[in-house]
Structure formats: structure tokens, C-alpha cells
Amino acid sequence: LVALALSQYAERASKDLSFVAARAGKSLQGVVDATTAYLNGDEQMALEAQRNTLKAPKPDMPGTGKA
């Protein structure tokens, strides 16, 4: 009787543990994906800043083009 109860408990617990492990794995992958996206966004902002720095300046001269 005890062996049967332990067997049933182990069967149920293994399903729960499998679910917890799968959920933890998906959560960790979500963190990795979010961090990668954040870092890629930072790289994009840095590249855009570099591109803007290399552009020719457009001076705003007062009185230019006015009659």
C-alpha cells in the first residue's frame, strides 16, 4: 500500500517538476531574448549617433535668405 502511494506521488510530482522545469527554461530564454533586444537597441542608437556625427553640419545663419 505504501509502495503504491509513493509510486503515485512520484508520478504526479514528476509531471509537476517537468512543468516547472519547462516554465523556468522558457522564462530564462525570455530574459535572454529581452536582454539581447535591449543591447541591440543600444547598438542601433550608437550607430545612429555615429552616423549623425559624420553628417555635414547645416549651420543656421541668422538673416540668410531674407530680403
Side-chain angles (χ1 to χ4, degrees):
L1 186 63
V2 173
L4 177 63
L6 287 174
S7 172
Q8 289 175 346
Y9 173 77
E11 184 180 324
R12 168 125 190 202
S14 84
K15 289 177 185 175
D16 290 342
L17 289 175
S18 293
F19 175 79
V20 168
R23 174 63 61 97
K26 288 186 82 167
S27 296
L28 290 173
Q29 187 60 51
V31 169
V32 169
D33 293 346
T35 302
T36 300
Y38 175 79
L39 292 174
N40 287 340
D42 280 353
E43 287 177 18
Q44 281 300 115
M45 286 188 285
L47 287 171
E48 186 65 28
Q50 288 173 348
R51 285 187 197 110
N52 289 336
T53 300
L54 296 175
K55 289 180 182 176
K58 296 180 183 175
D60 184 18
M61 304 284 288
T64 303
K66 295 182 180 176

